[in-house]
Amino acid sequence: MRLYIAEKPSVGRALAACLPQPHRKGQGWIETGGGVVTWLFGHVLRQAEPEEYDPKLKRWRAEDLPILPAEWRLVVNESAAQQFAVVKGLIARADEIVHGGDPDREGQLLVDEVLDFLGNEKPVRRILINALDDKSIHDALGDLRDNADFLPLKRSALARARADWLIGMNLSRAYTLAARRAGHDRLVLPIGRVKTPTLALVVRREREIENFKPATYYLLDAVFRHEKTGESFRARWKPSEERTPLDPEGRLVDEHAARAALEAFGSEPQDAKVTRYERKKKEEPPPLPFSLSALQVLAGKRYGYEPQQVLDTAQKLYEEKLTSYPRSDAEYLPVNQHKDAAKILSNLAALADTPLGAWARAADAKQKSRAWNDAKISAHHAIIPTTVPVNLARLSAVERNVYELIARAYIAQFHPNYVYDQTKVEVTYHGELFAASGRTERAAGWRAMYRAGKSESEDTEKEDEESAVLPPMKKGDAADYVSAELGTRQTKPPTRFTPATLLQGMKEIHKYVKDEAAKKMLRDVSGIGTEATRASIIEDLIRRKFLHAAGKKKVLTPTEAAYLLIDALPDTMTYPDATAVWEDRLHSMAEGEGTPEEFLAGQAAFARELCHAALSARIAGVEGIPCPACGRGVMQKRKGRHGDFWGCSAFPQCRMTANDVGGKPDFAGKRIPRSAAGASGARPSASPAPTYTPRGSYTPTADEQAEMDAIFFGE
């Protein structure tokens, strides 16, 4: 018997429909003439929790950190236990297994981990389903691979999952305990390998805005008359840093210098010379089809949709067989997919009285853009329409908008390049340089499809400079100065992130790393997080009240808890440098370089280092009476065996206590213990302690335990 294991029921049903009759449905499986199809519900196995390794680890104690499993364990998720039993029984009966996980790193792992957990030794093939329409599934069935070819992908996903556990489990406990010692009794600080540097991006951006001081800068535009043609043109003064005071960004901020230049340029002699004239024909190919991140960013900018909303919509379109696999990080297409172009374009052309229909009718199905490139394809390809016709009237407004973005990007691959003449002119006048550039359109090509989107236009100032109309001229021509105008602009603070632009920041993480060497290395890395997890990470930060989303555009601002968390952590955890380097190594592992063991050894060392740092972390305390011994904790009222007393929140690192007198701690005659280890990091002394639950350890409530589970098994 051949057994197909799909990642989810919808994929299993679509796969079974493409296998020979007869079909017989069971509980959690479908028997066909070509084998049995069953399915998982995503990860039916989960990482074991610390207390499942050792019951004593249910209590959070600084001295138990870091927790480093000697042998990693998986546990069957209770919610999936029934389906897991079905899959287990079918694997026992099978002669051959076909792995039908989604065509990405995570999809590879979630079926492989079940096979490994059950000790499977039967042959395993791999099917890569990039879309759920019948044609795509039949094509995939005709191209089964050896599952062993995807071992590097599985290793990369396994290393990522275990690294997330090590960082999330250990550092969340370590810094939550540090917060308890500072008096934050009910605060849980979730720390994640990807989540924390993402939160830090928003915190730093907000502080940049708070500290921003607007500055005025000056732009001087001169009008020259070309001597031979008599036509006038404008050119902008490019002041020399050696002769004119400029700010670090190269802007003229000295008003006196600007006005002095304006006056000087009006004096004789007023003859200028064209010192550079360059006119080049340029062609711009159409933008590539969408990866998930690119789709989320554009839909966010154009329609204000949140990343998770775009992913959910793309998933719905995929399950309706209208578009290909949504969780794709690729923007290219396999060459053999080009044979479907005529059918897809024909379906789109039938959409009468719609822009999509008009664009598709004008497309040339034989044209092959740069998007078709097998060298850029791994397990999956860009998101595109399938060969299934769409009825736009049956889609919701959000579904229709997302579908139209996907279809437009596909149609653009069959339109001519945008062709224009780029002109650059430099004029020397009074020993100073003036420059202008112009763009003359020859053929709109694919750009005609994109003119409606205002949010997709280029930067206004840049667009103004490039749209100048320039007369024909050549180097060495004479020109006369006519007039000049001084304009003012104000520097603007950086804009706050929205979910869409924060996701873009995660994808373009090289822009935010501190180390220049790492910045260069990571320019080609596709960011931190994965296509499937970035949106959920942002949603999780909002849900846990570390980020506040306001207004129609969901502008993000950090909460007080976010500032507290980011300020408590060392730069190695809050800047994306280390995380981005780890992502690069995970990407290399997926390509066959490196092993999970090597990668996790580095993660364990990192967790050990930061757990130690947490012992001396300075976290802003709650309002209250500061501990006179350690200066870090606050005195908190406790109920003891012999009545109320006061103890330091930083116990056991600090063992300061005081009697309760009138509802306040009485420090009279108290000897400040030298073992107030908060400052030194030394282990607490063995001196007698009052009878109360140590503040250096913590047993979470059921709700907090559920919250931490979500933290630890995410990024």
Side-chain angles (χ1 to χ4, degrees):
M1 179 189 83
R2 172 180 276 185
L3 175 66
Y4 294 87
I5 305 177
E7 179 166 328
K8 54 180 78 71
S10 59
V11 177
R13 288 191 290 269
L15 176 57
C18 293
L19 292 172
Q21 296 284 350
H23 288 184
R24 183 168 67 92
K25 292 183 179 180
Q27 187 67 37
W29 52 269
I30 301 172
E31 184 177 0
T32 78
V36 175
V37 179
T38 188
W39 46 80
L40 307 177
F41 300 108
H43 284 280
V44 299
L45 300 173
R46 61 170 175 82
Q47 295 277 354
E49 297 181 20
E51 58 267 32
E52 291 172 311
Y53 287 97
D54 186 341
K56 76 173 187 179
L57 295 176
K58 185 172 180 63
R59 173 178 285 181
W60 302 355
R61 303 193 310 163
E63 51 266 43
D64 292 331
L65 302 177
I67 303 165
L68 305 173
E71 183 177 332
W72 290 89
R73 298 181 194 170
L74 293 173
V75 178
V76 178
N77 269 314
E78 287 185 16
S79 60
Q82 184 176 346
Q83 184 64 16
F84 177 79
V86 170
V87 174
K88 180 180 178 180
L90 290 170
I91 288 175
R93 291 171 45 208
D95 301 308
E96 180 187 56
I97 296 165
V98 178
H99 180 315
D102 283 350
D104 59 12
R105 186 166 68 180
E106 207 63 26
Q108 186 63 39
L109 176 63
L110 62 81
V111 175
D112 277 345
E113 67 187 2
V114 170
L115 297 175
D116 292 344
F117 186 80
L118 295 174
N120 175 67
E121 294 183 353
K122 295 171 182 177
V124 182
R125 309 289 296 280
R126 183 68 161 102
I127 183 171
L128 299 173
I129 300 175
N130 273 297
L132 296 184
D133 61 292
D134 291 356
K135 185 180 186 309
S136 296
I137 293 176
H138 281 298
D139 288 347
L141 285 167
D143 187 28
L144 296 183
R145 317 277 184 87
D146 186 339
N147 192 53
D149 294 344
F150 299 89
L151 181 60
L153 207 61
K154 165 193 163 184
R155 287 174 173 165
S156 175
L158 190 64
R160 182 206 62 79
R162 291 176 178 176
D164 289 343
W165 193 99
L166 285 173
I167 300 304
M169 191 68 71
N170 286 296
L171 301 191
S172 295
R173 288 188 174 207
Y175 284 88
T176 293
L177 289 172
R180 305 277 186 220
R181 294 193 292 271
H184 298 279
D185 271 358
R186 305 306 300 164
L187 183 63
V188 174
L189 295 181
I191 296 173
R193 184 180 59 87
V194 175
K195 188 176 301 175
T196 300
T198 299
L199 178 62
L201 289 180
V202 184
V203 169
R204 291 197 186 94
R205 175 64 58 86
E206 191 64 23
R207 282 180 167 152
E208 285 178 44
I209 294 169
E210 289 170 358
N211 297 325
F212 179 78
K213 292 182 175 58
T216 301
Y217 64 100
Y218 300 87
L219 300 172
L220 195 153
D221 289 335
V223 177
F224 296 96
R225 183 179 295 110
H226 184 234
E227 193 175 76
K228 289 184 179 178
T229 64
E231 295 183 51
S232 296
F233 62 95
R234 299 173 70 88
R236 179 160 292 168
W237 179 38
K238 303 295 181 183
S240 164
E241 196 170 357
E242 290 77 22
R243 297 190 292 272
T244 310
L246 304 177
D247 73 356
E249 303 297 322
R251 294 179 294 231
L252 176 58
V253 294
D254 187 323
E255 183 179 6
H256 176 74
R259 295 200 176 279
L262 179 64
E263 185 177 344
F265 291 146
S267 62
E268 297 290 342
Q270 295 192 330
D271 51 322
K273 179 175 283 190
V274 177
T275 49
R276 180 189 178 197
Y277 181 81
E278 190 177 273
R279 186 185 182 100
K280 285 185 178 178
K281 177 185 173 183
K282 291 197 172 184
E283 294 194 28
E284 194 176 308
L288 292 166
F290 289 114
S291 65
L292 175 60
S293 289
L295 178 63
Q296 287 169 316
V297 169
L298 184 55
K301 288 180 177 178
R302 186 163 188 184
Y303 298 112
Y305 298 158
E306 294 183 50
Q308 189 64 47
Q309 183 182 17
V310 179
L311 172 55
D312 293 343
T313 303
Q315 179 71 27
K316 178 79 181 300
L317 293 171
Y318 168 66
E319 292 180 0
E320 292 291 328
K321 305 183 180 183
L322 297 174
T323 57
S324 61
Y325 179 66
R327 292 174 173 81
S328 173
D329 61 356
E331 296 179 331
Y332 290 87
L333 299 166
V335 173
N336 67 3
Q337 199 279 339
H338 191 271
K339 66 181 182 296
D340 296 333
K343 176 65 174 173
I344 295 171
L345 290 173
S346 174
N347 289 340
L348 294 171
L351 298 171
D353 302 322
T354 67
L356 285 182
W359 296 334
R361 288 190 291 274
D364 178 3
K366 295 179 182 177
Q367 184 169 309
K368 190 174 288 185
S369 74
R370 60 183 174 137
W372 277 271
N373 188 337
D374 286 341
K376 301 279 189 179
I377 300 296
S378 54
H380 40 72
H381 58 65
I383 308 170
I384 61 171
T386 65
T387 55
V388 174
V390 63
N391 182 347
L392 294 176
R394 294 185 61 187
L395 302 181
S396 69
V398 177
E399 290 166 355
R400 186 165 56 251
N401 287 338
V402 171
Y403 182 85
E404 286 176 351
L405 288 178
I406 294 168
R408 181 183 66 167
Y410 183 77
I411 296 169
Q413 307 311 310
F414 305 94
H415 277 247
N417 288 348
Y418 168 55
V419 185
Y420 62 95
D421 287 330
Q422 178 73 59
T423 308
K424 292 185 178 180
V425 175
E426 289 181 359
V427 175
T428 301
Y429 176 66
H430 278 226
E432 295 286 341
L433 179 67
F434 291 76
S437 61
R439 179 179 289 196
T440 305
E441 186 176 285
R442 287 191 176 198
W446 61 267
R447 263 194 176 246
M449 301 167 54
Y450 285 76
R451 298 210 193 277
K454 185 179 178 183
S455 63
E456 299 163 59
S457 66
E458 298 171 309
D459 176 74
T460 305
E461 188 172 320
K462 181 182 176 185
E463 203 172 54
D464 288 346
E465 284 193 60
E466 289 193 351
S467 62
V469 178
L470 300 170
M473 58 185 96
K474 63 179 185 294
K475 182 178 177 181
D477 282 358
D480 294 321
Y481 171 84
V482 177
S483 62
E485 180 183 3
L486 189 63
T488 62
R489 298 271 174 88
Q490 272 213 324
T491 56
K492 296 178 182 178
T495 56
R496 288 185 172 90
F497 285 109
T498 64
T501 58
L502 182 56
L503 186 143
Q504 186 174 21
M506 295 171 74
K507 188 172 177 66
E508 299 175 348
I509 201 64
H510 66 274
K511 294 180 178 179
Y512 301 96
V513 302
K514 290 173 70 179
D515 183 76
E516 287 301 318
K519 189 187 291 282
K520 291 178 182 175
M521 180 183 74
L522 297 170
R523 207 172 290 274
D524 295 328
V525 174
S526 54
I528 57 175
T530 67
E531 299 293 324
T533 61
R534 289 182 187 127
S536 61
I537 286 169
I538 296 170
E539 286 244 319
D540 190 61
L541 288 169
I542 296 170
R543 184 175 63 82
R544 296 181 188 282
K545 296 182 169 52
F546 284 90
L547 292 178
H548 175 67
K552 185 177 179 181
K553 291 186 177 180
K554 306 291 184 185
V555 175
L556 299 175
T557 52
T559 63
E560 287 303 315
Y563 286 112
L564 187 145
L565 173 59
I566 298 305
D567 290 345
L569 290 165
D571 284 356
T572 48
M573 195 66 225
T574 63
Y575 276 93
D577 300 46
T579 303
V581 170
W582 296 340
E583 291 285 352
D584 183 49
R585 290 187 60 190
L586 289 170
H587 179 76
S588 297
M589 199 181 302
E591 300 293 323
E593 297 177 24
T595 66
E597 292 74 21
E598 294 167 346
F599 181 75
L600 291 172
Q603 300 292 292
F606 184 80
R608 190 178 290 111
E609 176 189 334
L610 264 70
C611 284
H612 179 74
L615 296 174
S616 55
R618 291 198 171 272
I619 295 181
V622 297
E623 289 186 12
I625 301 169
C627 173
C630 69
R632 289 183 183 169
V634 293
M635 300 303 291
Q636 295 179 326
K637 196 173 183 179
R638 306 291 182 198
K639 289 188 179 298
R641 196 178 303 165
H642 304 295
D644 291 348
F645 71 97
W646 291 75
C648 178
S649 62
F651 184 91
Q653 279 80 359
C654 177
R655 292 178 172 269
M656 181 66 193
T657 61
N659 293 328
D660 177 65
V661 176
K664 293 182 180 179
D666 179 16
F667 297 120
K670 291 293 293 185
R671 181 177 65 84
I672 305 301
R674 290 195 304 167
S675 62
S680 66
R683 296 182 66 82
S685 69
S687 56
T691 306
Y692 63 93
T693 302
R695 305 302 296 166
S697 67
Y698 175 65
T699 302
T701 64
D703 287 345
E704 287 176 331
Q705 185 64 50
E707 178 182 20
M708 297 307 287
D709 288 346
I711 294 165
F712 298 151
F713 302 124
E715 294 185 286

